Amino acid sequence: MNTTKTIQSALISVFSKEGLEPIVRKLHSQDVVLYSTGGTEDFIKNLGIPVTAVEDVTSYPSILGGRVKTLHPKVFGGILNRQDNESDVQQMKEFDIPQIDLVIVDLYPFEKTVASGASESDIIEKIDIGGISLIRAAAKNFKDTVIVASVDEYSLLLDLITDQNGATTLADRKLLATKAFHVSSHYDTSIFNYFNTDETIFKASIADGQILRYGENPHQKGFFFGDFDAMFNKLHGKELSYNNLLDVDAAVTLISEFKTDDPTFAILKHNNACGLATRKTISDAYNVALACDPTSAFGGVLIANTKIDVATATEINKLFCEVVIAPEYDAEAIEILQQKKNRIILIQNEVDLPQKQVRTCLNGLLIQERNRITDNKEDLKTVTTTTATEQEIQDLIFASKVCKNTKSNTIVFAKNGTLISSGTGQTSRVDALLQAIEKAKTFGFDLNGAVMASDAFFPFPDCVAIAKDAGIAAVIQPGGSIKDQLSIDYCNENKLAMVFTGTRHFKH
């Protein structure tokens, strides 16, 4: 059976007319009969091309302020009839229903209307009824009917009807139907999420996915679904990989904790900070952050909370790093950083991050609210007789911010606005503490007078005892263990300051 079909009639009814003219002119040159409504009908007439109003086919006017225009058996019969079904063929003749081979229709801009902050009544009016019905009908009947449901497919349609002289194959029609069902399902998801208040129901539709070079490893396929270009302006470098994106996400989340602080620079490797410092200049902050762990910084992701200047760029250029991120750069700083061909340079834009985090788990999904709590001075409850100094309190808050954004179990040491070291992703808190101590020694840091942050409580006093022996002067932790008093007693006996925050910051 020949499944190639030549378009002889078309229904065109679109909200946006951009890019429509060449298609209309091509269809007219191929003697295609055109049907249309309202503004699209006027658009076609103004091109000097004959068009039949849908009202003339249905013998029924547009009613209810345009809410009902195409919802009629003569329209949907023309779209849904099966051309190889004898009963359908007979009924088409009996009820004088015109054949419709091509449907070009788009949808009212619901998402844009919601994003604009419009009133609920305006938003409701942008819920398309006729358009979505036409899309589904034509897509369902792809065996006989061509559907174009988005301006994004105009060029594809124009190429098809030009190259194939108005004909389409079954494969062509099925491809366009697939794209149409994507349009309709995405649209319905947006509407549902606007109305939905039940947090136990989750629907998501992301239209702008991109293929990555590979996933975590070269043998794994990788994809990113999101609007990367809204969040960053990419100035230079190779395409970001799956692992790059994970590190960039961790970097952006971490630096957001220091958004309003003095110049702060962070260096991350495998989602964890290996260097971080706050100073009076971003150049000083970078140099101190690099000194935290210059070994791990190799091949890392770098991020600043303020403009990267020439002095900072000059120092960065001495290091092999994958990605550099900042809200802005001096022009000369960009030129310096671009000297490395593959180095990715990003300008971070002000974009709200999703308030829910989603990850696959078993045969489903885990969803949680983003951890929006950042410990601050007002949260601190001193539980020991020894109180932390003002500088120690600043360092405790600094260490807590890093700890919150480091893989559990974690211990973080900080001193004078500098990340000294951390123990990350360990199976016990003692192991994390010992790892942090060993790392600090490796890079020659003096822990005397430093502070310690823990992402969860201490069930025993062993960690504060080890920390005290290493030189730690003050500790920040959430508290909440039934044996908190054991740690408090040890701190009191050994003149160690400890504060509770009341908030645990696990990060799995």
Side-chain angles (χ1 to χ4, degrees):
M1 179 184 295
N2 183 11
T3 59
T4 297
K5 293 183 178 293
T6 300
I7 298 169
Q8 299 181 42
S9 58
L11 169 61
I12 308 175
S13 180
V14 295
F15 184 84
S16 173
K17 315 300 186 296
E18 184 179 351
L20 185 62
E21 181 178 344
I23 292 174
V24 172
R25 291 194 181 280
K26 175 57 68 174
L27 292 171
H28 175 59
S29 73
Q30 294 174 340
D31 298 321
V32 174
V33 177
L34 303 180
Y35 301 96
S36 193
T37 63
T40 309
E41 179 188 346
D42 293 337
F43 174 84
I44 296 172
K45 285 180 178 177
N46 290 335
L47 296 177
I49 293 173
V51 58
T52 300
V54 167
E55 297 95 297
D56 294 339
V57 175
T58 63
S59 300
Y60 216 96
S62 173
I63 61 172
L64 306 181
R67 279 189 164 198
V68 180
K69 291 181 287 190
T70 57
L71 295 169
H72 193 280
K74 281 201 170 183
V75 174
F76 282 86
I79 295 170
L80 281 164
N81 74 93
R82 294 158 291 186
Q83 294 178 21
D84 60 354
N85 183 291
E86 187 57 35
S87 176
D88 286 7
V89 172
Q90 290 302 318
Q91 287 190 328
M92 292 284 284
K93 293 177 180 177
E94 179 183 355
F95 296 107
D96 192 25
I97 299 174
Q99 178 68 44
I100 298 176
D101 302 315
L102 166 66
V103 175
I104 303 176
V105 63
D106 62 6
L107 300 170
Y108 294 151
F110 179 83
E111 286 182 282
K112 288 183 179 179
T113 305
V114 171
S116 73
S119 66
E120 183 170 285
S121 60
D122 288 340
I123 290 171
I124 299 304
E125 287 308 308
K126 289 300 184 290
I127 298 177
D128 207 307
I129 303 300
I132 201 79
S133 301
L134 290 169
I135 288 172
R136 285 197 175 96
K140 174 179 179 176
N141 202 34
F142 68 87
K143 184 177 178 183
D144 295 311
T145 310
V146 180
I147 174 64
V148 174
S150 167
V151 66
D152 295 337
E153 315 312 330
Y154 281 7
S155 61
L156 173 59
L157 174 67
L158 187 58
D159 288 343
L160 287 176
I161 61 177
T162 300
D163 297 343
Q164 299 170 187
N165 195 28
T168 62
T169 66
L170 182 61
D172 296 333
R173 297 190 295 277
K174 192 169 185 178
L175 172 63
L176 286 165
T178 302
K179 293 177 179 292
F181 281 126
H182 165 65
V183 169
S184 65
S185 63
H186 181 81
Y187 194 75
D188 282 342
T189 297
S190 300
I191 295 170
F192 170 79
N193 285 333
Y194 172 74
F195 284 100
N196 182 42
T197 58
D198 186 346
E199 292 187 347
T200 67
I201 301 174
F202 175 75
K203 293 183 188 293
S205 177
I206 304 175
D208 45 3
Q210 66 182 84
I211 300 173
L212 303 175
R213 295 199 303 272
Y214 49 81
E216 279 185 291
N217 300 291
H219 63 275
Q220 296 170 270
K221 291 182 179 179
F223 307 87
F224 173 70
F225 292 91
D227 192 354
F228 185 85
D229 292 337
M231 191 159 184
F232 300 102
N233 295 336
K234 183 167 179 259
L235 304 180
H236 181 73
K238 62 184 179 181
E239 292 302 312
L240 281 90
S241 68
Y242 183 99
N243 293 331
N244 287 156
L245 289 169
L246 287 174
D247 283 332
V248 168
D249 175 72
V252 166
T253 303
L254 174 60
I255 208 68
S256 68
E257 307 280 355
F258 300 88
K259 184 176 180 180
T260 59
D261 290 19
D262 285 342
T264 301
F265 207 106
I267 303 173
L268 290 90
K269 195 74 171 290
H270 298 297
N271 301 174
N272 293 315
C274 59
L276 194 148
T278 298
R279 290 294 185 272
K280 292 301 181 184
T281 68
I282 197 64
S283 178
D284 285 347
Y286 168 73
N287 286 322
V288 175
L290 178 62
C292 293
D293 184 350
T295 302
S296 295
F298 183 86
V301 169
L302 282 56
I303 189 165
N305 71 344
T306 190
K307 179 192 286 187
I308 290 182
D309 55 21
V310 172
T312 310
T314 300
E315 292 303 312
I316 291 173
N317 203 40
K318 299 174 183 177
L319 174 73
F320 168 72
C321 59
E322 292 276 354
V323 186
V324 182
I325 310 167
E328 57 181 325
Y329 302 79
D330 283 337
E332 189 178 342
I334 294 173
E335 293 178 3
I336 293 169
L337 294 173
Q338 287 177 333
Q339 291 175 11
K340 299 294 174 65
K341 177 182 176 182
N342 290 326
R343 179 184 287 146
I344 299 164
I345 306 172
L346 302 175
I347 295 177
Q348 182 182 347
N349 301 320
E350 285 285 341
V351 175
D352 291 333
L353 295 174
Q355 292 307 303
K356 290 186 177 179
Q357 296 174 311
V358 182
R359 64 194 297 183
T360 59
C361 180
L362 302 175
N363 61 348
L365 302 174
L366 281 174
I367 300 174
Q368 68 171 353
E369 293 180 343
R370 182 177 290 275
N371 185 353
R372 296 191 291 268
I373 294 178
T374 297
D375 297 329
N376 57 61
K377 187 174 181 179
E378 289 69 34
D379 297 324
L380 305 185
K381 177 185 177 183
T382 300
V383 294
T384 53
T385 53
T386 300
T387 60
T389 66
E390 187 59 36
Q391 180 60 55
E392 287 169 349
I393 289 173
Q394 291 180 26
D395 285 339
L396 288 169
I397 296 299
F398 177 96
S400 173
K401 291 177 179 180
V402 180
C403 193
K404 170 188 169 183
N405 292 280
T406 305
K407 295 289 186 179
S408 299
N409 284 319
T410 186
I411 292 290
V412 170
F413 293 149
K415 187 177 181 180
N416 298 326
T418 305
L419 170 62
I420 300 300
S421 65
S422 60
T424 65
Q426 298 303 303
T427 53
S428 82
R429 202 156 304 281
V430 171
D431 284 345
L433 174 56
L434 294 174
Q435 182 189 54
I437 293 171
E438 184 61 30
K439 195 168 183 181
K441 290 179 178 178
T442 299
F443 292 104
F445 287 106
D446 181 6
L447 289 177
N448 286 301
V451 304
M452 177 175 79
S454 172
D455 58 345
F457 60 63
F458 301 122
F460 305 102
D462 48 3
C463 280
V464 287
I466 296 170
K468 172 64 178 176
D469 290 343
I472 297 300
V475 177
I476 185 171
Q477 58 134 318
S481 169
I482 60 174
K483 297 182 179 180
D484 275 343
Q485 195 60 45
L486 296 177
S487 295
I488 294 171
D489 290 343
Y490 179 88
C491 290
N492 286 335
E493 292 165 6
N494 293 274
K495 295 183 173 53
L496 192 64
M498 185 161 65
V499 298
F500 285 0
T501 65
T503 303
R504 189 183 75 182
H505 290 297
F506 270 162
K507 189 170 187 287
H508 283 74

